[in-house]
Amino acid sequence: MGPSGWRLCALFCAWVLSESMGLSRRRRGSEDDGLPKKCSYTFLVPEQKITGPICASRGPALPDKDRVTRLDIVDVRELLSKQRREMDTLRMVVDVDGNMVSEMKLLRKESRNMNSRVTQLYMQLLHEIIRKRDNSLEIAQLEGRILNATAEALRLSARYRELEVRFSALASVVNNQSVLIGALEERCLQVYGSRRQEPLAPPLVQVVPENIPVHVPRLSNEIQRDHSRSFPRDRGSRAGPEPTGSTLEAKQPPDGNFSSEGPFRDCLHAIQAGHDTSGMYLLKPDGTERPFQAWCEHDLDNGGWTIIQRRKDGSVNFFRNWESYKKGFGNIDSEHWLGLDNIYNLAKQGDYKLLVEMQDWMEKKVYAAYSSFHLEPESESYRLRLGIYQGNAGDSLTSHNGKQFTTLDRDKDTFSGNCAHFHKGGWWYNACGQTNLNGVWYSGGVYRSKFQDGIFWADYGGGFYSMKTVRMMIRPID
């Protein structure tokens, strides 16, 4: 007998037992009708799984209506089978629903991730659109600047052509005037030839220099300039070009070489204030009203040097009058003269020293240092006062110590003529002297000239060797 049969047998036995117990309780109740009633208890026995055969009752035979037949057992088996199939079906439905719930959870999570990704992509797209719009604006602005620059270049080109035409016209006029002047000179020589006296030239420097550049690439008497339209130089004229009167050009320098801080007393004050980059600074010495621009050299000997003169390429004409040398001229970041008045106001603040740095055409650098330096006021024509010499260039400036400054229009030298006339510059001439750092810038070193009018330092190269670069600078004594 299978498990189902045993289960049915157990159910039958339980039913028989319950009927017998009910019958005994009915009998007991009829017997005790005259007695007081007592409490009765009903116990619910949990259904047990039938594992064995269903035993028939040993008591009296049950009526036919209460007897379990084989048809009943078959019906119970079919019912149980149906319930088992329904339970299996329900279990499958539950499994399917659980899988669907899990899939729904996964889909919701993926949906949230997808929404986040879509939002991120939207922000990236918006940022890219904004960036492209900004780039379009920048390109439009750049195109506008290019168009403006092109228009300005065209305007300058047209202006340059006009200037070329004017220059050609002026050159033709100058040539005509030169012919006329030559004819007049010849006539004057014919009429007043016996009365004309040649001006007495100063004696040439006869110092044998201690240092002579051993190799001279070429002789040159041409003035090399960065600008092809520089002032004309007439080598046949004794007087040379007329001195110019323009003063120091206050151009706005490049951003990297100019400090808007200040003003400072001098360049040492600037470096003490934390500005240790070489470049242009605004200086205002004590006791002065107006500041001025100067180049501060902070890369040499602990810095703090104020450049008062610089020669490097011949781009500036140094044959100028007294007023120009007093106020200063040139470009601060190139060739320039700081101005006698500015130099005087700087040096009168305390004890200053002078350093002259020179470079020849073999790229060799030499220097001459003086332990003290100052100028006397304009009433004394800015007389030069120097201290003790030290250096490797030779002492060519001590012979100028105590001398007044001379220009073509203000002769203060000890020579019978005007030294500025012959040396083509302004300087503290003696008669005329051993150095001429404000003379004509010649290319190549050794030059040919009737007078010693180059940038020479007699103790280095002699009077007919023109230095390539020169810097004069001052700084307070430590």
Side-chain angles (χ1 to χ4, degrees):
M1 181 179 294
S4 299
W6 290 109
R7 190 180 297 113
L8 290 175
C9 182
L11 287 175
F12 180 75
C13 292
W15 177 78
V16 171
L17 180 62
S18 62
E19 287 296 327
S20 61
M21 289 178 65
L23 180 61
S24 62
R25 278 196 302 269
R26 283 192 298 269
R27 291 177 180 176
R28 196 180 295 119
S30 60
E31 293 175 356
D32 296 336
D33 288 336
L35 296 176
K37 297 182 179 180
K38 296 180 180 180
C39 296
S40 61
Y41 299 92
T42 303
F43 296 94
L44 299 178
V45 180
E47 180 180 358
Q48 297 181 356
K49 187 176 180 181
I50 299 174
T51 58
I54 299 175
C55 301
S57 177
R58 295 182 180 179
L62 296 176
D64 293 338
K65 62 179 182 180
D66 295 330
R67 186 178 298 173
V68 178
T69 63
R70 291 183 179 273
L71 294 176
D72 294 335
I73 294 173
V74 171
D75 292 338
V76 171
R77 288 179 179 176
E78 291 180 355
L79 180 61
L80 291 176
S81 300
K82 182 178 180 181
Q83 289 179 354
R84 187 179 295 108
R85 288 193 299 271
E86 289 178 354
M87 289 179 65
D88 293 339
T89 303
L90 290 175
R91 189 178 295 107
M92 293 176 62
V93 171
V94 169
D95 293 339
V96 171
D97 291 343
N99 293 334
M100 292 180 65
V101 170
S102 300
E103 291 179 358
M104 285 296 296
K105 290 182 179 179
L106 291 176
L107 289 175
R108 287 181 180 178
K109 185 176 181 180
E110 291 179 358
S111 177
R112 287 194 296 269
N113 296 336
M114 188 63 67
N115 291 336
S116 301
R117 180 58 178 168
V118 169
T119 303
Q120 182 181 4
L121 291 175
Y122 175 76
M123 295 301 296
Q124 291 179 356
L125 180 61
L126 184 61
H127 178 72
E128 187 70 19
I129 291 173
I130 295 174
R131 188 180 64 82
K132 288 185 177 180
R133 186 186 63 182
D134 294 341
N135 290 340
S136 300
L137 293 176
E138 292 179 358
I139 292 173
Q141 293 176 357
L142 183 59
E143 288 178 351
R145 292 178 183 175
I146 292 174
L147 291 176
N148 294 337
T150 304
E152 183 67 16
L154 293 175
R155 188 184 67 80
L156 292 176
S157 177
R159 180 63 177 167
Y160 178 74
R161 287 193 294 269
E162 292 177 2
L163 292 177
E164 280 187 339
V165 173
R166 292 181 60 184
F167 178 78
S168 300
L170 290 175
S172 62
V173 172
V174 170
N175 291 333
N176 295 335
Q177 293 294 329
S178 299
V179 174
L180 181 59
I181 291 172
L184 291 175
E185 285 182 349
E186 291 179 0
R187 186 172 180 181
C188 289
L189 287 175
Q190 293 174 2
V191 177
Y192 304 103
S194 59
R195 301 180 184 178
R196 183 178 180 182
Q197 296 180 355
E198 292 289 337
L200 181 64
L204 299 178
V205 175
Q206 301 297 331
V207 176
V208 178
E210 298 178 1
N211 300 285
I212 302 177
V214 294
H215 174 68
V216 178
R218 60 189 176 89
L219 296 175
S220 174
N221 61 350
E222 296 294 331
I223 304 173
Q224 304 294 327
R225 303 188 181 281
D226 290 341
H227 308 288
S228 61
R229 302 302 182 187
S230 58
F231 64 90
R233 178 74 173 173
D234 186 4
R235 301 300 303 168
S237 172
R238 294 186 180 92
E242 289 297 324
T244 56
S246 60
T247 57
L248 192 68
E249 301 175 12
K251 295 182 178 179
Q252 182 65 30
D255 294 339
N257 293 331
F258 178 72
S259 173
S260 59
E261 302 290 336
F264 306 100
R265 292 190 306 272
D266 53 22
C267 291
L268 183 60
H269 183 205
I271 200 172
Q272 289 173 349
H275 303 278
D276 56 356
T277 302
S278 298
M280 299 184 197
Y281 290 82
L282 199 63
L283 304 183
K284 185 178 181 296
D286 296 336
T288 60
E289 297 180 356
R290 299 181 60 183
F292 57 89
Q293 289 181 355
W295 186 276
C296 292
E297 180 58 54
H298 296 321
D299 299 328
L300 178 66
D301 191 18
N302 297 325
W305 293 96
T306 303
I307 305 296
I308 63 175
Q309 185 255 26
R310 173 155 43 193
R311 307 298 302 276
K312 57 182 293 188
D313 54 13
S315 58
V316 175
N317 178 16
F318 273 68
F319 190 32
R320 297 178 182 249
N321 56 22
W322 178 267
E323 193 66 20
S324 295
Y325 271 98
K326 176 183 175 181
K327 295 182 178 180
F329 55 86
N331 299 319
I332 296 298
D333 56 347
S334 183
E335 290 199 340
H336 72 280
W337 174 260
L338 189 59
L340 291 168
D341 199 41
N342 294 332
I343 299 172
Y344 165 74
N345 289 325
L346 281 171
K348 76 176 183 179
Q349 297 182 111
D351 297 329
Y352 280 73
K353 58 184 177 181
L354 172 69
L355 175 64
V356 181
E357 182 187 68
M358 295 170 285
Q359 183 180 14
D360 61 20
W361 290 87
M362 299 296 295
E363 308 300 330
K364 178 182 178 181
K365 289 186 177 182
V366 293
Y367 75 97
Y370 294 87
S371 59
S372 64
F373 168 87
H374 74 274
L375 302 180
E376 295 185 2
E378 186 179 9
S379 59
E380 291 294 325
S381 298
Y382 300 106
R383 192 185 303 273
L384 177 65
R385 296 300 182 184
L386 290 175
I388 301 173
Y389 160 80
Q390 180 184 4
N392 60 358
D395 184 10
S396 295
L397 193 57
T398 299
S399 60
H400 298 259
N401 188 21
K403 301 301 181 290
Q404 296 177 322
F405 201 85
T406 294
T407 59
L408 185 63
D409 58 339
R410 187 171 296 191
D411 187 3
K412 296 295 180 178
D413 55 51
T414 59
F415 181 61
S416 57
N418 189 332
C419 292
H421 168 78
F422 297 100
H423 289 295
K424 304 299 182 295
W427 195 250
W428 296 278
Y429 292 114
N430 188 352
C432 284
Q434 305 298 309
T435 182
N436 184 40
L437 299 185
N438 286 339
V440 180
W441 189 87
Y442 287 106
S443 173
V446 176
Y447 63 95
R448 289 191 295 262
S449 178
K450 184 177 182 180
F451 306 109
Q452 293 174 328
D453 54 3
I455 304 174
F456 68 86
W457 188 270
D459 286 88
Y460 188 87
F464 283 100
Y465 186 87
S466 184
M467 305 299 292
K468 182 178 181 180
T469 64
V470 175
R471 291 196 304 176
M472 297 178 64
M473 59 193 83
I474 60 175
R475 186 180 73 175
I477 299 175
D478 299 333

